[in-house]
Amino acid sequence: MNSHSIALIPGDGIGVDVTKAAMRVADAAAARFGFALKTTEFPWSCDYYLKTGEMMPADGIAQLRPFDAIYLGAVGWPKTVPDSVSLHGLLLPIRKAFRQYANIRPHRLLKGVEGPLKAEGFDILCIRENTEGEYSGAGGRVHQGTPDEVAVETAIFTRAGVERILRFGFESAMRRRKKLTSVTKSNAQKYSMVFWDEVTDQLAKDYPEVEVTHTHIDAMAAKMVMAPESLDVIVASNLFGDILTDLGAAIQGGLGFAASANICPDRSAPSMFEPVHGSAPDIAGKNIANPIAAIWSVAMMLDHLGEKPAAEAILTAIEAATATGVGTRPGSHSTDAITTAVLTALEA
């Protein structure tokens, strides 16, 4: 029997609620398909920060390294800990330390879900560079609190970083519909984004079967609304990918359906899986958070771990539930009811 070790970080707010729901489904899939999941839970969160002064212990990365995968619920509780502290203290260090440079976010309408657009037949895979770019953390502030204060934030784009995420995008396009859209703002950012465009063109020569399009971020946002069915694989920088995937979540019905994976492609370190939504402190613990994004993220995790039949069965079960209207509208069903519907379909 295959066995996979999973580090669970439920985190904050509804992260706790949806992690519990997602792992119920993961355990059921493991039982059905004959493999084991050995989970270890870590209490790292904003509450942990208030108690210890850190989002995770100094050896947190070392503690996580032996695991096959990491599952994260959500991070953040801005009323008590600034988002800049929680993000840079937990999520970003994990992504960078484990070279999880490929952030993968699928966007399509599940059966029974009505999106805000007229379009229904879209299937977009957004691949976001995850470890450098605009979120590199390079910069600083001087003369703080004075009229002369200066803040500098420097985006870092390395050839190695840009090339590897674009190559990941090309490889993904080859497995799908062989269409790739590279998103920049090279008309305004004449150094970093022109560089990104040039690397895209250089790599395109290695993938003559892939149709490549260059699109500016503003035009891309419009295209995702006006013609999402024309898109296949989108590759974008850290900031642009972050923004576009929230838009992708909106057109697929909301953040409750938005799953993601932070992948270390060479598997030299664990990859991390998480729903895109935040911690939503206002509804935490009320049994009303939609767990579908979290469950979808678990399916992505199992697929990454080589349990493809289980991953496909979970996605089928999710759609069997949403096809009957369960979980398709905010507040229409409880967290437990949605989870139970998915479990029932999975075990059918």
Side-chain angles (χ1 to χ4, degrees):
M1 177 184 288
N2 289 338
S3 180
H4 308 287
S5 59
I6 311 298
L8 293 182
I9 309 176
D12 299 299
I14 64 170
V16 177
D17 306 337
V18 299
T19 296
K20 186 182 300 182
M23 292 314 299
R24 284 179 62 193
V25 175
D27 288 338
R32 175 180 167 185
F33 288 92
F35 60 91
L37 295 175
K38 298 182 179 179
T39 60
T40 302
E41 187 168 321
F42 295 86
W44 306 337
S45 61
C46 288
D47 185 55
Y48 183 86
Y49 177 86
L50 294 175
K51 294 174 181 176
T52 66
E54 52 191 2
M55 289 297 297
M56 64 177 171
D59 66 344
I61 296 298
Q63 290 188 48
L64 294 175
R65 189 174 292 278
F67 288 90
D68 295 322
I70 303 163
Y71 186 87
L72 174 69
V75 175
W77 201 286
K79 283 189 177 181
T80 58
V81 178
D83 284 341
S84 58
V85 171
S86 58
L87 186 67
H88 286 273
L90 184 61
L91 183 60
L92 295 187
I94 293 173
R95 288 175 174 173
K96 293 176 181 179
F98 294 144
R99 299 180 70 248
Q100 297 169 352
Y101 63 81
N103 184 255
I104 305 172
R105 299 183 176 185
H107 302 295
R108 63 181 177 85
L109 280 176
L110 297 172
K111 293 178 182 178
V113 177
E114 293 185 10
L117 305 181
K118 294 179 181 179
E120 294 183 356
F122 59 87
D123 182 1
I124 303 170
L125 187 68
C126 193
I127 297 172
R128 164 192 173 193
E129 199 293 312
N130 212 30
T131 60
E132 53 177 49
E134 303 90 346
Y135 293 178
S136 296
R141 293 168 64 182
V142 295
H143 310 304
Q144 285 185 248
T146 76
D148 299 318
E149 185 168 1
V150 177
V152 177
E153 192 90 31
T154 303
I156 304 295
F157 291 89
T158 66
R159 178 169 289 275
V162 174
E163 182 172 315
R164 69 188 182 185
I165 193 62
L166 283 165
R167 192 172 292 281
F168 189 94
F170 275 106
E171 294 290 342
S172 298
M174 287 292 291
R175 294 189 294 271
R176 289 170 51 95
R177 302 192 303 278
K178 296 183 172 62
K179 295 171 64 177
L180 181 141
T181 304
S182 177
V183 179
T184 65
K185 189 60 178 170
S186 51
N187 59 339
Q189 296 174 280
K190 63 181 183 178
Y191 301 117
S192 60
M193 295 287 97
V194 169
F195 169 60
W196 182 292
D197 284 346
E198 290 173 354
V199 175
T200 302
D201 289 337
Q202 291 164 10
L203 288 182
K205 297 174 184 177
D206 296 338
Y207 302 90
E209 304 97 328
V210 177
E211 177 188 339
V212 179
T213 305
H214 294 273
T215 305
H216 292 149
I217 177 65
D218 43 350
M220 188 73 246
K223 183 174 284 190
M224 287 183 71
V225 172
M226 301 300 294
E229 69 283 351
S230 69
L231 300 168
D232 182 17
V233 173
I234 298 172
V235 186
S237 68
N238 216 329
L239 174 63
F240 291 169
D242 195 3
I243 294 169
L244 287 176
T245 51
D246 267 22
L247 178 54
I251 66 173
Q252 72 181 114
L255 286 169
F257 304 106
S260 77
N262 304 276
I263 300 295
C264 172
D266 66 7
R267 298 177 182 263
S268 60
S271 294
M272 179 167 61
F273 303 81
E274 56 173 327
V276 173
H277 62 67
S279 59
D282 57 321
I283 62 170
K286 295 182 179 180
N287 194 31
I288 58 175
N290 188 339
I292 288 177
I295 296 169
W296 193 340
S297 299
V298 152
M300 296 177 75
M301 180 178 73
L302 294 183
D303 183 64
H304 179 75
L305 292 172
E307 304 294 350
K308 191 174 184 64
E312 291 176 346
I314 290 175
L315 287 176
T316 299
I318 290 173
E319 291 210 85
T322 58
T324 66
V326 175
T328 58
R329 296 181 306 280
S332 61
H333 296 83
S334 68
T335 306
D336 287 344
I338 298 169
T339 307
T340 297
V342 174
L343 284 170
T344 298
L346 179 64
E347 295 164 356

